mmCIF file of all heavy atoms in Angstrom:
data_model
loop_
_atom_site.group_PDB
_atom_site.id
_atom_site.type_symbol
_atom_site.label_atom_id
_atom_site.label_comp_id
_atom_site.label_asym_id
_atom_site.label_seq_id
_atom_site.Cartn_x
_atom_site.Cartn_y
_atom_site.Cartn_z
ATOM 1 N N ASN A 105 21.912 -0.625 -19.996
ATOM 2 C CA ASN A 105 22.978 0.086 -20.854
ATOM 3 C C ASN A 105 22.662 -0.166 -22.285
ATOM 4 O O ASN A 105 22.438 -1.370 -22.727
ATOM 5 C CB ASN A 105 24.348 -0.318 -20.490
ATOM 6 C CG ASN A 105 24.688 0.085 -19.066
ATOM 7 O OD1 ASN A 105 24.253 1.236 -18.598
ATOM 8 N ND2 ASN A 105 25.427 -0.735 -18.311
ATOM 9 N N GLY A 106 22.666 0.907 -23.133
ATOM 10 C CA GLY A 106 22.561 0.726 -24.573
ATOM 11 C C GLY A 106 24.035 0.522 -25.090
ATOM 12 O O GLY A 106 24.929 0.143 -24.391
ATOM 13 N N GLN A 107 24.086 0.798 -26.308
ATOM 14 C CA GLN A 107 25.419 0.655 -27.026
ATOM 15 C C GLN A 107 26.036 1.984 -27.282
ATOM 16 O O GLN A 107 25.492 2.762 -28.102
ATOM 17 C CB GLN A 107 25.258 -0.061 -28.382
ATOM 18 C CG GLN A 107 24.599 -1.520 -28.254
ATOM 19 C CD GLN A 107 24.373 -2.179 -29.568
ATOM 20 O OE1 GLN A 107 25.339 -2.229 -30.431
ATOM 21 N NE2 GLN A 107 23.213 -2.673 -29.823
ATOM 22 N N GLY A 108 27.041 2.309 -26.561
ATOM 23 C CA GLY A 108 27.557 3.674 -26.736
ATOM 24 C C GLY A 108 27.083 4.650 -25.680
ATOM 25 O O GLY A 108 26.183 4.468 -24.932
ATOM 26 N N GLU A 109 27.848 5.830 -25.703
ATOM 27 C CA GLU A 109 27.552 6.866 -24.669
ATOM 28 C C GLU A 109 26.260 7.578 -25.093
ATOM 29 O O GLU A 109 25.824 7.597 -26.272
ATOM 30 C CB GLU A 109 28.616 7.902 -24.763
ATOM 31 C CG GLU A 109 30.025 7.320 -24.142
ATOM 32 C CD GLU A 109 29.877 6.854 -22.742
ATOM 33 O OE1 GLU A 109 29.329 7.530 -21.999
ATOM 34 O OE2 GLU A 109 30.395 5.761 -22.481
ATOM 35 N N GLY A 110 25.632 8.129 -24.040
ATOM 36 C CA GLY A 110 24.413 8.890 -24.256
ATOM 37 C C GLY A 110 23.688 9.172 -22.953
ATOM 38 O O GLY A 110 24.228 8.732 -21.927
ATOM 39 N N PHE A 165 19.758 1.033 -28.738
ATOM 40 C CA PHE A 165 19.753 2.381 -28.361
ATOM 41 C C PHE A 165 21.146 2.766 -27.733
ATOM 42 O O PHE A 165 21.941 1.944 -27.337
ATOM 43 C CB PHE A 165 18.636 2.734 -27.380
ATOM 44 C CG PHE A 165 18.754 1.947 -26.058
ATOM 45 C CD1 PHE A 165 19.335 2.444 -24.819
ATOM 46 C CD2 PHE A 165 18.324 0.634 -25.896
ATOM 47 C CE1 PHE A 165 19.445 1.787 -23.723
ATOM 48 C CE2 PHE A 165 18.461 -0.072 -24.748
ATOM 49 C CZ PHE A 165 18.990 0.475 -23.564
ATOM 50 N N SER A 166 21.352 4.072 -27.612
ATOM 51 C CA SER A 166 22.583 4.581 -26.952
ATOM 52 C C SER A 166 22.243 5.010 -25.557
ATOM 53 O O SER A 166 21.124 5.157 -25.279
ATOM 54 C CB SER A 166 23.227 5.721 -27.812
ATOM 55 O OG SER A 166 22.301 6.802 -27.938
ATOM 56 N N GLY A 167 23.233 5.304 -24.828
ATOM 57 C CA GLY A 167 22.993 5.802 -23.480
ATOM 58 C C GLY A 167 22.442 4.727 -22.592
ATOM 59 O O GLY A 167 22.784 3.553 -22.630
ATOM 60 N N ARG A 168 21.550 5.096 -21.630
ATOM 61 C CA ARG A 168 20.948 4.111 -20.705
ATOM 62 C C ARG A 168 19.532 4.388 -20.481
ATOM 63 O O ARG A 168 18.943 5.508 -20.866
ATOM 64 C CB ARG A 168 21.614 4.315 -19.277
ATOM 65 C CG ARG A 168 23.158 4.238 -19.324
ATOM 66 C CD ARG A 168 23.563 4.235 -17.844
ATOM 67 N NE ARG A 168 23.032 5.135 -16.952
ATOM 68 C CZ ARG A 168 23.192 5.229 -15.627
ATOM 69 N NH1 ARG A 168 23.723 4.166 -15.014
ATOM 70 N NH2 ARG A 168 22.626 6.191 -14.918
ATOM 71 N N LEU A 427 21.021 4.660 -31.988
ATOM 72 C CA LEU A 427 22.391 4.163 -32.107
ATOM 73 C C LEU A 427 23.154 5.170 -33.029
ATOM 74 O O LEU A 427 22.572 5.662 -33.996
ATOM 75 C CB LEU A 427 22.505 2.783 -32.706
ATOM 76 C CG LEU A 427 21.946 1.588 -31.763
ATOM 77 C CD1 LEU A 427 21.926 0.319 -32.522
ATOM 78 C CD2 LEU A 427 22.853 1.597 -30.613
ATOM 79 N N LYS A 428 24.362 5.426 -32.721
ATOM 80 C CA LYS A 428 25.080 6.311 -33.490
ATOM 81 C C LYS A 428 26.101 5.656 -34.413
ATOM 82 O O LYS A 428 26.489 4.583 -34.151
ATOM 83 C CB LYS A 428 25.980 7.304 -32.502
ATOM 84 C CG LYS A 428 25.037 8.078 -31.654
ATOM 85 C CD LYS A 428 25.811 8.931 -30.575
ATOM 86 C CE LYS A 428 24.779 9.671 -29.727
ATOM 87 N NZ LYS A 428 25.583 10.461 -28.632
#
Side-chain angles (χ1 to χ4, degrees):
N105 296 321
Q107 301 180 49
E109 296 297 316
F165 61 95
S166 62
R168 307 190 310 167
L427 292 173
K428 299 175 182 178

